[in-house]
Coordinates of all heavy atoms in Angstrom, one line a residue:
G15 N 23.4 15.1 11.2 CA 23.2 14.8 12.6 C 24.6 14.4 13.3 O 25.5 14.1 12.5
S16 N 24.5 14.4 14.6 CA 25.7 14.0 15.3 C 25.3 12.9 16.4 O 24.5 13.2 17.2 CB 26.3 15.1 16.0 OG 27.3 14.8 16.9
A17 N 25.9 11.7 16.1 CA 25.5 10.6 17.0 C 26.8 10.1 17.6 O 27.9 10.1 17.0 CB 24.8 9.5 16.3
T18 N 26.7 9.6 18.9 CA 27.9 9.0 19.6 C 27.4 7.6 19.9 O 26.3 7.2 20.0 CB 28.3 9.7 20.9 OG1 27.1 9.8 21.7 CG2 28.8 11.2 20.5
T19 N 28.4 6.7 20.0 CA 28.1 5.3 20.6 C 27.9 5.4 22.0 O 28.7 6.1 22.7 CB 29.2 4.3 20.1 OG1 30.4 4.9 20.4 CG2 29.2 4.0 18.7
C20 N 26.9 4.7 22.5 CA 26.7 4.6 23.9 C 26.4 3.1 24.2 O 25.2 2.6 23.8 CB 25.6 5.5 24.4 SG 24.1 5.5 23.4
G21 N 27.4 2.4 24.7 CA 27.2 1.0 24.8 C 27.1 0.4 23.4 O 27.9 0.7 22.5
A22 N 26.1 -0.4 23.2 CA 25.9 -1.1 21.8 C 25.0 -0.2 21.0 O 24.6 -0.6 19.8 CB 25.3 -2.4 22.0
N23 N 24.7 1.0 21.4 CA 23.6 1.8 20.8 C 24.3 3.1 20.2 O 25.4 3.4 20.5 CB 22.5 2.1 21.7 CG 21.9 0.9 22.3 OD1 21.7 -0.1 21.7 ND2 21.6 0.9 23.6
L24 N 23.4 3.8 19.5 CA 23.7 5.1 19.1 C 22.9 6.1 19.9 O 21.7 5.9 20.1 CB 23.3 5.3 17.6 CG 24.2 4.9 16.5 CD1 23.6 5.5 15.2 CD2 25.6 5.6 16.7
C25 N 23.6 7.2 20.4 CA 22.9 8.2 21.1 C 23.0 9.5 20.4 O 24.1 9.9 20.0 CB 23.4 8.3 22.5 SG 23.0 6.9 23.6
L26 N 21.9 10.3 20.4 CA 21.8 11.6 19.8 C 21.4 12.6 20.9 O 20.3 12.5 21.4 CB 20.9 11.7 18.7 CG 21.2 11.0 17.3 CD1 20.9 9.6 17.4 CD2 20.5 11.6 16.2
D27 N 22.3 13.5 21.2 CA 22.0 14.6 22.2 C 21.3 15.7 21.6 O 21.8 16.3 20.7 CB 23.3 15.0 22.8 CG 23.2 16.0 23.9 OD1 22.0 16.5 24.1 OD2 24.2 16.3 24.5
L28 N 20.0 15.8 22.0 CA 19.2 16.9 21.4 C 19.7 18.4 21.8 O 19.3 19.3 21.2 CB 17.7 16.7 21.7 CG 17.2 15.5 21.2 CD1 15.7 15.4 21.4 CD2 17.5 15.2 19.7
G29 N 20.6 18.4 22.7 CA 21.2 19.7 23.1 C 22.3 20.1 22.1 O 22.8 21.2 22.1
D30 N 22.8 19.1 21.3 CA 23.8 19.4 20.3 C 23.2 20.1 19.2 O 22.3 19.6 18.6 CB 24.4 18.0 19.9 CG 25.5 18.2 18.9 OD1 25.6 19.3 18.2 OD2 26.4 17.3 18.9
P31 N 23.8 21.3 18.8 CA 23.1 22.0 17.6 C 23.0 21.2 16.3 O 22.2 21.5 15.5 CB 24.1 23.3 17.5 CG 24.7 23.4 18.8 CD 24.8 22.1 19.4
M32 N 24.0 20.3 16.2 CA 23.9 19.4 15.0 C 22.6 18.6 15.0 O 22.2 18.1 13.8 CB 25.1 18.5 15.0 CG 26.4 19.1 14.9 SD 27.0 19.2 13.2 CE 27.3 17.5 12.7
N33 N 22.0 18.4 16.1 CA 20.8 17.6 16.1 C 19.4 18.4 16.3 O 18.4 17.8 16.5 CB 20.9 16.5 17.2 CG 22.0 15.6 17.0 OD1 22.3 15.3 15.8 ND2 22.6 15.1 18.1
Q34 N 19.6 19.7 16.0 CA 18.4 20.5 16.3 C 17.2 20.2 15.4 O 16.0 20.5 15.9 CB 18.8 22.0 16.2 CG 18.9 22.6 14.8 CD 19.0 24.1 14.8 OE1 19.5 24.7 15.8 NE2 18.7 24.7 13.7
D35 N 17.4 19.5 14.3 CA 16.2 19.2 13.5 C 15.4 18.2 14.2 O 14.2 18.0 13.8 CB 16.7 18.6 12.2 CG 17.2 19.6 11.2 OD1 17.1 20.8 11.6 OD2 17.7 19.1 10.2
L36 N 15.9 17.5 15.3 CA 15.1 16.6 16.0 C 14.5 17.1 17.3 O 13.9 16.3 18.0 CB 15.9 15.4 16.4 CG 16.4 14.5 15.2 CD1 17.4 13.4 15.6 CD2 15.2 13.8 14.5
T37 N 14.5 18.4 17.5 CA 14.0 19.0 18.7 C 12.6 19.2 18.6 O 11.9 19.5 19.7 CB 14.8 20.3 19.1 OG1 14.7 21.1 18.1 CG2 16.2 20.0 19.4
A38 N 11.9 19.2 17.4 CA 10.5 19.4 17.3 C 9.9 18.4 16.5 O 10.5 17.8 15.6 CB 10.3 20.8 16.7
A39 N 8.7 18.0 16.8 CA 7.9 17.1 16.1 C 7.9 17.3 14.6 O 7.7 18.5 14.2 CB 6.5 16.8 16.6
G40 N 8.1 16.3 13.7 CA 8.1 16.5 12.3 C 9.6 16.6 11.8 O 9.8 16.5 10.6
G41 N 10.5 16.7 12.7 CA 11.9 16.9 12.2 C 12.5 15.4 11.9 O 12.0 14.4 12.4
A42 N 13.6 15.4 11.2 CA 14.2 14.2 10.8 C 15.7 14.5 10.5 O 15.9 15.6 9.9 CB 13.6 13.4 9.7
L43 N 16.6 13.5 10.7 CA 17.9 13.7 10.2 C 18.5 12.4 10.0 O 18.1 11.4 10.6 CB 18.8 14.7 11.0 CG 19.0 14.6 12.4 CD1 20.0 13.5 12.7 CD2 19.6 15.9 12.9
V44 N 19.7 12.3 9.3 CA 20.4 11.1 9.0 C 21.6 11.0 9.8 O 22.4 12.0 9.9 CB 20.6 11.0 7.6 CG1 21.6 9.9 7.2 CG2 19.4 10.9 6.7
V45 N 22.0 9.8 10.4 CA 23.2 9.7 11.1 C 23.8 8.3 10.6 O 23.0 7.4 10.1 CB 23.1 9.6 12.6 CG1 22.7 11.0 13.2 CG2 22.1 8.6 13.1
D46 N 25.1 8.1 10.7 CA 25.7 6.9 10.3 C 26.0 6.0 11.5 O 26.5 6.6 12.5 CB 27.1 7.2 9.6 CG 26.8 7.7 8.2 OD1 25.9 7.1 7.5 OD2 27.5 8.6 7.7
S47 N 25.8 4.8 11.4 CA 26.3 3.8 12.4 C 27.5 3.2 11.6 O 27.8 3.5 10.5 CB 25.3 2.8 12.7 OG 25.1 1.9 11.7
D48 N 28.1 2.2 12.3 CA 29.2 1.4 11.6 C 28.7 0.7 10.4 O 29.5 0.4 9.5 CB 29.9 0.5 12.6 CG 30.7 1.3 13.6 OD1 31.0 2.5 13.4 OD2 31.1 0.6 14.6
T49 N 27.5 0.3 10.5 CA 27.0 -0.6 9.4 C 25.9 -0.1 8.6 O 25.4 -0.8 7.6 CB 26.5 -1.9 10.1 OG1 25.5 -1.6 11.0 CG2 27.6 -2.7 10.7
D50 N 25.3 1.0 8.9 CA 24.2 1.5 8.2 C 24.1 3.1 8.2 O 24.9 3.7 9.0 CB 22.8 1.0 8.9 CG 21.7 0.9 7.9 OD1 21.7 1.4 6.8 OD2 20.7 0.3 8.4
T51 N 23.2 3.6 7.4 CA 22.9 5.0 7.4 C 21.5 5.1 7.8 O 20.6 4.4 7.2 CB 23.1 5.6 6.0 OG1 24.4 5.5 5.6 CG2 22.7 7.1 6.0
I52 N 21.2 5.8 8.9 CA 19.9 5.7 9.6 C 19.2 7.0 9.6 O 19.7 8.1 10.0 CB 20.2 5.2 11.1 CG1 20.8 3.8 11.1 CG2 18.8 5.1 11.9 CD1 21.3 3.3 12.4
M53 N 17.9 6.9 9.2 CA 17.0 8.1 9.3 C 16.3 8.1 10.7 O 15.6 7.1 11.1 CB 16.0 8.0 8.3 CG 15.0 9.2 8.2 SD 15.6 10.7 7.5 CE 15.8 10.3 5.8
V54 N 16.5 9.2 11.4 CA 15.9 9.3 12.8 C 14.8 10.3 12.6 O 15.1 11.4 12.1 CB 17.0 9.7 13.8 CG1 16.3 9.8 15.2 CG2 18.1 8.7 13.9
V55 N 13.6 10.0 13.1 CA 12.5 10.9 12.9 C 11.8 11.2 14.2 O 11.6 10.3 15.0 CB 11.4 10.2 12.0 CG1 10.2 11.1 11.8 CG2 12.0 9.8 10.6
R56 N 11.6 12.5 14.5 CA 10.9 12.9 15.6 C 9.4 12.9 15.3 O 8.9 13.8 14.6 CB 11.3 14.3 16.1 CG 10.6 14.8 17.3 CD 11.2 14.2 18.6 NE 10.6 14.7 19.8 CZ 11.1 15.6 20.6 NH1 12.2 16.2 20.3 NH2 10.5 16.0 21.7
V57 N 8.7 11.8 15.6 CA 7.4 11.6 15.1 C 6.4 12.5 15.8 O 5.5 13.0 15.3 CB 6.9 10.1 15.3 CG1 5.5 9.9 14.8 CG2 7.9 9.2 14.5
S58 N 6.6 12.7 17.1 CA 5.8 13.5 17.9 C 6.6 14.0 19.1 O 7.8 13.7 19.2 CB 4.6 12.7 18.5 OG 5.0 11.8 19.4
D59 N 6.0 14.7 20.1 CA 6.8 15.2 21.2 C 7.5 14.1 22.0 O 8.5 14.3 22.5 CB 5.8 16.0 22.1 CG 5.5 17.3 21.6 OD1 6.1 17.8 20.7 OD2 4.5 17.9 22.2
T60 N 6.8 12.9 22.0 CA 7.3 11.9 22.8 C 7.8 10.7 22.0 O 8.4 9.8 22.6 CB 6.2 11.3 23.7 OG1 5.0 11.0 23.0 CG2 5.8 12.4 24.8
Q61 N 7.5 10.6 20.7 CA 7.9 9.4 20.0 C 8.9 9.7 18.9 O 8.8 10.7 18.3 CB 6.6 8.8 19.2 CG 5.6 8.2 20.2 CD 4.5 7.5 19.4 OE1 3.8 8.2 18.7 NE2 4.5 6.2 19.4
V62 N 9.9 8.7 18.8 CA 10.8 8.8 17.7 C 10.9 7.5 17.0 O 10.4 6.4 17.4 CB 12.2 9.1 18.3 CG1 12.3 10.5 18.8 CG2 12.6 8.1 19.4
A63 N 11.4 7.5 15.7 CA 11.4 6.3 15.0 C 12.8 6.4 14.3 O 13.4 7.4 14.1 CB 10.4 6.3 13.9
A64 N 13.4 5.1 14.0 CA 14.6 5.0 13.3 C 14.6 3.9 12.4 O 14.1 2.8 12.7 CB 15.8 4.8 14.3
L65 N 15.0 4.1 11.2 CA 15.0 3.0 10.2 C 16.2 3.4 9.2 O 16.6 4.5 9.0 CB 13.7 2.8 9.5 CG 13.0 3.9 8.7 CD1 11.8 3.2 8.0 CD2 12.6 5.0 9.5
S66 N 16.6 2.3 8.5 CA 17.6 2.5 7.5 C 17.2 3.5 6.5 O 16.0 3.5 6.0 CB 17.9 1.2 6.8 OG 18.9 1.4 5.8
A67 N 18.1 4.4 6.1 CA 17.8 5.4 5.1 C 18.0 4.9 3.7 O 17.7 5.6 2.7 CB 18.6 6.7 5.4
I68 N 18.7 3.7 3.6 CA 19.1 3.2 2.3 C 18.0 2.4 1.5 O 17.7 1.4 2.0 CB 20.4 2.4 2.5 CG1 21.5 3.2 3.3 CG2 21.0 1.9 1.1 CD1 21.9 4.5 2.6
C69 N 17.6 3.0 0.5 CA 16.6 2.3 -0.3 C 17.0 0.9 -0.8 O 18.1 0.7 -1.1 CB 16.3 3.2 -1.6 SG 15.0 2.5 -2.6
T70 N 16.0 0.0 -0.5 CA 16.3 -1.4 -0.8 C 16.3 -1.7 -2.3 O 16.5 -2.8 -2.7 CB 15.3 -2.3 0.0 OG1 14.0 -2.0 -0.4 CG2 15.5 -2.2 1.4
H71 N 15.9 -0.8 -3.1 CA 15.9 -1.0 -4.5 C 17.3 -1.0 -5.1 O 17.9 -2.0 -5.5 CB 15.0 0.0 -5.3 CG 15.1 -0.1 -6.8 ND1 15.4 0.9 -7.6 CD2 14.9 -1.2 -7.6 CE1 15.4 0.5 -8.9 NE2 15.0 -0.8 -8.8
S72 N 18.0 0.2 -5.1 CA 19.4 0.2 -5.6 C 20.3 1.1 -4.8 O 21.3 1.5 -5.2 CB 19.4 0.8 -7.0 OG 18.9 -0.1 -7.9
G73 N 19.9 1.3 -3.5 CA 20.8 1.9 -2.6 C 20.9 3.4 -2.6 O 21.8 4.0 -1.9
C74 N 19.9 4.1 -3.1 CA 20.0 5.6 -2.9 C 19.5 5.9 -1.5 O 18.9 5.1 -0.8 CB 19.0 6.2 -3.9 SG 19.6 6.2 -5.6
E75 N 19.8 7.1 -1.1 CA 19.4 7.6 0.2 C 18.1 8.3 0.3 O 17.8 9.2 -0.5 CB 20.4 8.6 0.9 CG 20.3 8.9 2.3 CD 21.4 9.6 2.9 OE1 22.6 9.2 2.8 OE2 21.2 10.7 3.4
N76 N 17.2 7.6 1.0 CA 15.8 8.2 1.1 C 15.8 9.5 1.7 O 16.6 9.8 2.6 CB 14.8 7.2 1.8 CG 14.6 5.9 1.1 OD1 14.2 5.9 0.0 ND2 14.9 4.8 1.8
L77 N 14.7 10.2 1.5 CA 14.4 11.5 2.1 C 13.2 11.4 3.0 O 12.2 10.6 2.6 CB 14.2 12.7 1.1 CG 15.4 12.9 0.1 CD1 15.0 13.8 -1.0 CD2 16.6 13.3 0.8
Y78 N 13.0 12.1 4.1 CA 11.8 12.1 4.9 C 10.8 13.1 4.4 O 11.2 14.3 4.2 CB 12.1 12.2 6.3 CG 10.9 12.2 7.2 CD1 10.2 11.0 7.2 CD2 10.5 13.2 8.0 CE1 9.0 10.9 8.1 CE2 9.3 13.2 8.7 CZ 8.7 12.0 8.8 OH 7.5 11.9 9.6
T79 N 9.6 12.7 4.3 CA 8.5 13.6 3.9 C 7.5 13.7 5.1 O 6.8 12.8 5.4 CB 7.7 13.2 2.6 OG1 8.7 13.0 1.6 CG2 6.7 14.2 2.2
E80 N 7.5 14.9 5.7 CA 6.7 15.0 7.0 C 5.2 14.9 6.7 O 4.5 14.4 7.5 CB 7.1 16.3 7.6 CG 6.1 16.9 8.6 CD 5.7 16.0 9.8 OE1 6.5 15.1 10.0 OE2 4.7 16.3 10.4
S81 N 4.8 15.5 5.5 CA 3.3 15.6 5.3 C 2.7 14.2 5.2 O 1.6 14.0 5.6 CB 3.1 16.4 4.1 OG 3.8 15.9 3.0
S82 N 3.5 13.3 4.7 CA 3.0 11.9 4.5 C 3.5 10.9 5.5 O 3.2 9.8 5.5 CB 3.2 11.4 3.1 OG 4.6 11.6 2.8
K83 N 4.6 11.4 6.3 CA 5.3 10.5 7.2 C 5.9 9.3 6.5 O 5.7 8.2 6.9 CB 4.4 10.1 8.4 CG 4.1 11.3 9.4 CD 3.4 10.8 10.7 CE 3.5 11.9 11.8 NZ 3.2 13.2 11.4
T84 N 6.5 9.5 5.4 CA 7.1 8.5 4.6 C 8.6 8.8 4.3 O 8.9 10.0 4.3 CB 6.3 8.3 3.3 OG1 6.3 9.6 2.6 CG2 5.0 7.8 3.5
L85 N 9.3 7.7 3.9 CA 10.7 7.8 3.4 C 10.4 7.7 1.9 O 9.8 6.7 1.4 CB 11.6 6.9 3.9 CG 12.3 7.3 5.3 CD1 11.2 7.2 6.4 CD2 13.4 6.3 5.5
D86 N 11.0 8.7 1.1 CA 10.8 8.7 -0.3 C 12.1 8.7 -1.0 O 13.0 9.5 -0.6 CB 10.1 10.0 -0.7 CG 8.6 9.9 -0.1 OD1 8.3 10.3 1.0 OD2 7.7 9.4 -0.9
C87 N 12.2 7.8 -2.0 CA 13.6 7.6 -2.7 C 13.6 8.6 -3.9 O 12.7 8.5 -4.7 CB 13.7 6.2 -3.1 SG 15.4 6.0 -3.8
P88 N 14.6 9.4 -3.9 CA 14.6 10.4 -5.0 C 15.1 9.7 -6.3 O 15.0 10.4 -7.4 CB 15.7 11.4 -4.6 CG 16.6 10.6 -3.6 CD 15.7 9.6 -3.0
C89 N 15.6 8.5 -6.3 CA 16.1 7.9 -7.6 C 15.1 7.3 -8.4 O 15.0 7.7 -9.6 CB 17.2 6.8 -7.2 SG 18.6 7.5 -6.5
H90 N 14.2 6.4 -7.9 CA 13.2 5.9 -8.8 C 11.8 5.9 -8.2 O 10.9 5.1 -8.6 CB 13.6 4.4 -9.2 CG 15.0 4.2 -9.6 ND1 16.0 3.7 -8.8 CD2 15.6 4.7 -10.7 CE1 17.1 3.8 -9.4 NE2 17.0 4.3 -10.5
G91 N 11.7 6.6 -7.1 CA 10.3 6.9 -6.5 C 9.7 5.9 -5.5 O 8.6 6.0 -5.2
S92 N 10.5 4.9 -5.1 CA 10.0 4.1 -4.0 C 9.6 4.9 -2.8 O 10.2 5.9 -2.5 CB 11.0 3.0 -3.6 OG 11.2 2.1 -4.6
Q93 N 8.7 4.3 -2.0 CA 8.1 5.0 -0.8 C 8.0 4.0 0.3 O 7.5 2.9 0.0 CB 6.8 5.7 -1.1 CG 6.4 6.5 0.0 CD 5.0 7.3 -0.3 OE1 4.0 6.6 -0.6 NE2 5.1 8.6 -0.4
F94 N 8.4 4.3 1.5 CA 8.3 3.4 2.6 C 7.6 4.1 3.8 O 7.8 5.3 4.0 CB 9.7 3.1 3.1 CG 10.5 2.4 2.0 CD1 11.3 3.3 1.2 CD2 10.8 1.1 1.9 CE1 12.1 2.7 0.2 CE2 11.5 0.5 0.9 CZ 12.2 1.4 0.0
S95 N 6.9 3.3 4.6 CA 6.3 3.9 5.8 C 7.3 4.0 6.9 O 8.5 3.4 6.8 CB 5.2 3.0 6.3 OG 5.7 1.8 6.8
L96 N 7.0 4.5 8.0 CA 7.9 4.6 9.1 C 8.2 3.3 9.8 O 9.0 3.2 10.7 CB 7.4 5.6 10.2 CG 7.6 7.1 9.9 CD1 7.1 8.0 10.9 CD2 9.1 7.4 9.7
T97 N 7.3 2.2 9.4 CA 7.6 0.9 9.9 C 8.4 0.1 8.9 O 8.5 -1.1 9.0 CB 6.3 0.2 10.3 OG1 5.4 0.2 9.2 CG2 5.6 0.8 11.5
G98 N 8.8 0.8 7.9 CA 9.7 0.2 6.9 C 9.0 -0.5 5.7 O 9.7 -0.9 4.7
T99 N 7.7 -0.5 5.7 CA 6.9 -1.3 4.8 C 7.0 -0.5 3.3 O 7.0 0.7 3.4 CB 5.4 -1.2 5.2 OG1 5.3 -1.9 6.4 CG2 4.6 -2.0 4.2
V100 N 7.1 -1.3 2.4 CA 7.1 -0.7 1.0 C 5.7 -0.2 0.7 O 4.7 -1.0 0.7 CB 7.6 -1.7 -0.1 CG1 7.5 -1.1 -1.5 CG2 9.0 -2.2 0.2
L101 N 5.5 1.0 0.4 CA 4.2 1.6 0.0 C 4.2 1.7 -1.5 O 3.0 1.7 -2.1 CB 4.0 3.0 0.7 CG 3.9 3.0 2.2 CD1 3.8 4.4 2.7 CD2 2.8 2.1 2.8
R102 N 5.3 1.9 -2.1 CA 5.3 2.0 -3.6 C 6.7 1.5 -4.0 O 7.7 1.8 -3.4 CB 5.1 3.5 -4.0 CG 5.1 3.8 -5.4 CD 4.7 5.2 -5.7 NE 5.8 6.1 -5.3 CZ 5.6 7.2 -4.6 NH1 4.4 7.6 -4.3 NH2 6.6 8.0 -4.2
G103 N 6.7 0.8 -5.1 CA 8.0 0.2 -5.7 C 8.6 1.3 -6.5 O 8.2 2.4 -6.6
P104 N 9.7 0.9 -7.2 CA 10.1 -0.5 -7.5 C 10.7 -1.3 -6.4 O 10.9 -2.4 -6.5 CB 11.2 -0.3 -8.6 CG 11.7 1.1 -8.4 CD 10.5 1.9 -7.9
A105 N 11.1 -0.7 -5.2 CA 11.7 -1.5 -4.1 C 10.6 -2.6 -3.7 O 9.4 -2.4 -3.8 CB 11.9 -0.6 -2.9
R106 N 11.2 -3.7 -3.3 CA 10.3 -4.9 -2.9 C 10.5 -5.3 -1.5 O 9.7 -5.8 -0.9 CB 10.6 -6.0 -3.8 CG 10.2 -5.7 -5.3 CD 10.7 -7.0 -6.2 NE 9.8 -8.1 -5.9 CZ 8.8 -8.5 -6.6 NH1 8.5 -7.9 -7.7 NH2 8.2 -9.6 -6.3
R107 N 11.7 -5.0 -1.0 CA 12.1 -5.4 0.4 C 11.9 -4.2 1.4 O 12.2 -3.1 1.0 CB 13.5 -5.9 0.4 CG 13.6 -7.3 -0.2 CD 15.1 -7.6 -0.4 NE 15.8 -6.9 -1.4 CZ 16.8 -6.1 -1.2 NH1 17.3 -6.0 0.0 NH2 17.3 -5.4 -2.2
P108 N 11.4 -4.5 2.6 CA 11.2 -3.5 3.5 C 12.6 -2.8 4.0 O 13.6 -3.4 3.9 CB 10.5 -4.1 4.7 CG 10.8 -5.5 4.6 CD 11.0 -5.8 3.1
L109 N 12.5 -1.6 4.6 CA 13.6 -1.1 5.3 C 13.8 -1.7 6.6 O 12.8 -2.0 7.3 CB 13.4 0.4 5.4 CG 13.4 1.3 4.2 CD1 13.0 2.7 4.5 CD2 14.7 1.2 3.4
K110 N 15.1 -1.8 7.1 CA 15.4 -2.3 8.4 C 15.0 -1.2 9.4 O 15.3 -0.1 9.2 CB 16.9 -2.6 8.5 CG 17.3 -3.0 9.9 CD 18.8 -3.4 9.9 CE 19.4 -3.6 11.3 NZ 18.8 -4.9 11.8
V111 N 14.2 -1.7 10.5 CA 13.7 -0.7 11.4 C 14.5 -1.0 12.7 O 14.8 -2.1 13.1 CB 12.2 -1.0 11.7 CG1 11.8 -0.1 12.8 CG2 11.4 -0.7 10.5
Y112 N 14.9 0.1 13.4 CA 15.6 0.1 14.7 C 14.6 0.5 15.8 O 13.9 1.4 15.5 CB 16.8 0.9 14.7 CG 17.8 0.6 13.6 CD1 17.8 1.1 12.3 CD2 18.9 -0.3 13.9 CE1 18.7 0.7 11.3 CE2 19.8 -0.8 13.0 CZ 19.7 -0.2 11.7 OH 20.6 -0.6 10.7
S113 N 14.8 0.0 17.0 CA 14.0 0.5 18.0 C 14.7 1.8 18.5 O 15.9 2.0 18.5 CB 13.7 -0.5 19.2 OG 14.9 -0.7 19.9
A114 N 13.8 2.8 18.9 CA 14.4 4.1 19.3 C 13.6 4.7 20.4 O 12.4 4.5 20.4 CB 14.3 5.1 18.0
S115 N 14.2 5.4 21.3 CA 13.4 6.0 22.4 C 14.0 7.3 22.7 O 15.2 7.7 22.4 CB 13.5 5.1 23.6 OG 14.9 4.8 24.0
L116 N 13.2 8.1 23.4 CA 13.6 9.5 23.8 C 13.5 9.6 25.3 O 12.4 9.3 25.8 CB 12.7 10.5 23.0 CG 12.8 11.9 23.5 CD1 14.1 12.5 23.2 CD2 11.7 12.8 22.7
A117 N 14.5 10.0 25.9 CA 14.4 10.2 27.4 C 15.6 11.2 27.8 O 16.7 11.2 27.1 CB 14.6 9.0 28.2
N118 N 15.3 12.2 28.6 CA 16.3 13.1 29.1 C 17.0 13.9 28.0 O 18.2 14.1 28.0 CB 17.3 12.4 30.0 CG 16.6 11.7 31.2 OD1 15.7 12.3 31.8 ND2 17.1 10.6 31.6
N119 N 16.2 14.2 26.9 CA 16.8 15.0 25.8 C 17.8 14.1 25.0 O 18.6 14.8 24.3 CB 17.3 16.3 26.3 CG 17.0 17.4 25.3 OD1 15.9 17.4 24.7 ND2 17.9 18.4 25.2
I120 N 17.8 12.8 25.1 CA 18.7 12.0 24.4 C 17.8 10.9 23.6 O 16.9 10.3 24.2 CB 19.6 11.1 25.3 CG1 20.4 12.1 26.2 CG2 20.5 10.2 24.5 CD1 21.7 12.6 25.7
I121 N 18.1 10.9 22.3 CA 17.5 9.8 21.5 C 18.4 8.6 21.4 O 19.6 8.8 21.1 CB 17.1 10.3 20.1 CG1 16.0 11.3 20.2 CG2 16.7 9.1 19.2 CD1 15.6 12.0 18.8
T122 N 18.0 7.5 21.8 CA 18.7 6.3 21.8 C 18.3 5.4 20.7 O 17.1 5.0 20.7 CB 18.7 5.5 23.2 OG1 19.2 6.4 24.2 CG2 19.6 4.2 23.1
V123 N 19.1 4.9 19.8 CA 18.8 4.0 18.6 C 19.5 2.7 18.9 O 20.7 2.7 19.1 CB 19.2 4.6 17.4 CG1 19.0 3.6 16.2 CG2 18.6 6.0 17.1
T124 N 18.7 1.7 19.1 CA 19.2 0.4 19.5 C 19.7 -0.3 18.2 O 18.9 -0.6 17.3 CB 18.1 -0.5 20.2 OG1 17.7 0.2 21.3 CG2 18.7 -1.8 20.6
L125 N 21.0 -0.6 18.1 CA 21.5 -1.1 16.9 C 21.4 -2.6 16.8 O 21.5 -3.2 15.7 CB 23.0 -0.8 16.7 CG 23.2 0.7 16.7 CD1 24.7 1.1 16.6 CD2 22.5 1.3 15.4
G126 N 21.3 -3.4 17.9 CA 21.2 -4.8 17.9 C 20.2 -5.5 17.1 O 19.2 -4.8 16.8
Ligands
LIG214 FE1 15.3 3.8 -4.5 FE2 15.5 2.8 -7.0 S1 17.1 3.2 -5.5 S2 13.8 3.5 -6.0

Protein backbone atom coordinates (compact mmCIF):
# COMPACT_ATOMS: atom_id res chain seq x y z
CA GLY A 1 0.00 0.00 0.00
CA SER A 2 0.88 3.64 -0.29
CA ALA A 3 0.29 6.00 2.61
CA THR A 4 1.21 9.63 3.09
CA THR A 5 1.40 11.61 6.29
CA CYS A 6 -1.43 14.07 6.75
CA GLY A 7 -0.98 16.10 9.89
CA ALA A 8 -0.29 13.58 12.66
CA ASN A 9 -2.07 10.82 10.77
CA LEU A 10 -1.57 8.47 7.87
CA CYS A 11 -3.75 8.89 4.81
CA LEU A 12 -4.39 6.35 2.08
CA ASP A 13 -5.84 7.64 -1.16
CA LEU A 14 -8.10 4.96 -2.59
CA GLY A 15 -7.63 6.50 -6.02
CA ASP A 16 -3.98 5.42 -5.89
CA PRO A 17 -3.57 2.09 -7.73
CA MET A 18 -1.20 0.98 -4.94
CA ASN A 19 -4.20 1.00 -2.60
CA GLN A 20 -6.71 -0.73 -4.86
CA ASP A 21 -6.98 -3.69 -2.47
CA LEU A 22 -8.88 -1.37 -0.14
CA THR A 23 -11.47 -0.23 -2.67
CA ALA A 24 -13.81 -3.15 -1.98
CA ALA A 25 -15.09 -4.68 1.24
CA GLY A 26 -12.94 -7.60 2.36
CA GLY A 27 -9.68 -6.12 1.15
CA ALA A 28 -6.66 -5.39 3.29
CA LEU A 29 -3.14 -4.15 2.92
CA VAL A 30 -0.12 -3.26 4.98
CA VAL A 31 1.44 0.19 5.26
CA ASP A 32 4.32 1.47 7.34
CA SER A 33 4.21 4.38 9.73
CA ASP A 34 7.36 5.76 11.37
CA THR A 35 6.84 3.48 14.34
CA ASP A 36 4.76 0.51 13.24
CA THR A 37 3.66 -1.71 10.40
CA ILE A 38 -0.11 -1.38 10.13
CA MET A 39 -2.73 -3.66 8.64
CA VAL A 40 -5.56 -1.61 7.14
CA VAL A 41 -8.77 -3.54 6.48
CA ARG A 42 -11.82 -2.52 4.45
CA VAL A 43 -14.37 -4.17 6.71
CA SER A 44 -17.43 -3.06 4.75
CA ASP A 45 -18.44 -0.38 2.27
CA THR A 46 -18.37 2.20 5.04
CA GLN A 47 -16.12 0.76 7.75
CA VAL A 48 -12.37 0.41 7.96
CA ALA A 49 -10.08 -0.94 10.68
CA ALA A 50 -6.39 -0.48 11.35
CA LEU A 51 -4.17 -2.34 13.76
CA SER A 52 -0.57 -3.29 14.18
CA ALA A 53 0.37 -6.06 11.76
CA ILE A 54 3.22 -7.20 13.98
CA CYS A 55 2.50 -10.31 16.02
CA THR A 56 3.02 -9.73 19.74
CA HIS A 57 4.54 -13.19 20.15
CA SER A 58 7.84 -12.88 18.30
CA GLY A 59 7.30 -10.15 15.77
CA CYS A 60 6.27 -11.88 12.56
CA GLU A 61 3.95 -9.99 10.22
CA ASN A 62 0.35 -11.18 10.43
CA LEU A 63 -1.77 -11.88 7.37
CA TYR A 64 -5.43 -10.92 7.05
CA THR A 65 -8.00 -13.68 6.57
CA GLU A 66 -11.22 -12.31 5.13
CA SER A 67 -13.35 -15.41 5.78
CA SER A 68 -12.79 -15.21 9.54
CA LYS A 69 -12.02 -11.45 9.73
CA THR A 70 -8.87 -12.23 11.68
CA LEU A 71 -5.18 -11.51 11.58
CA ASP A 72 -3.27 -14.76 11.47
CA CYS A 73 0.39 -15.19 12.21
CA PRO A 74 2.22 -17.46 9.76
CA CYS A 75 5.05 -18.19 12.22
CA HIS A 76 3.43 -20.03 15.14
CA GLY A 77 -0.30 -19.72 14.51
CA SER A 78 -1.46 -16.89 16.75
CA GLN A 79 -4.76 -15.35 15.74
CA PHE A 80 -6.18 -11.91 16.53
CA SER A 81 -9.55 -10.26 16.04
CA LEU A 82 -9.98 -6.91 14.29
CA THR A 83 -10.15 -5.32 17.74
CA GLY A 84 -6.70 -6.74 18.48
CA THR A 85 -7.85 -9.41 20.93
CA VAL A 86 -5.85 -12.62 21.06
CA LEU A 87 -8.11 -15.43 19.82
CA ARG A 88 -5.39 -18.05 19.80
CA GLY A 89 -1.87 -18.13 21.22
CA PRO A 90 0.99 -18.47 21.68
CA ALA A 91 0.70 -14.65 21.61
CA ARG A 92 -0.61 -13.29 24.91
CA ARG A 93 -0.74 -9.54 24.35
CA PRO A 94 -3.29 -7.82 22.10
CA LEU A 95 -2.37 -5.95 18.94
CA LYS A 96 -2.33 -2.16 19.08
CA VAL A 97 -5.45 -0.77 17.44
CA TYR A 98 -5.63 2.56 15.63
CA SER A 99 -8.77 4.48 14.91
CA ALA A 100 -9.47 4.64 11.20
CA SER A 101 -12.10 6.33 9.09
CA LEU A 102 -13.14 6.55 5.48
CA ALA A 103 -14.33 9.75 3.84
CA ASN A 104 -14.05 11.21 0.35
CA ASN A 105 -12.20 8.13 -0.89
CA ILE A 106 -9.45 8.65 1.69
CA ILE A 107 -8.77 6.32 4.61
CA THR A 108 -7.32 8.18 7.59
CA VAL A 109 -5.46 6.20 10.27
CA THR A 110 -5.00 8.13 13.49
CA LEU A 111 -1.53 7.44 14.85
CA GLY A 112 -1.76 9.26 18.18
FE1 LIG B 1 3.36 -14.83 15.74
FE2 LIG B 1 4.93 -16.55 17.03
S1 LIG B 1 5.50 -14.69 16.02
S2 LIG B 1 2.81 -16.68 16.70
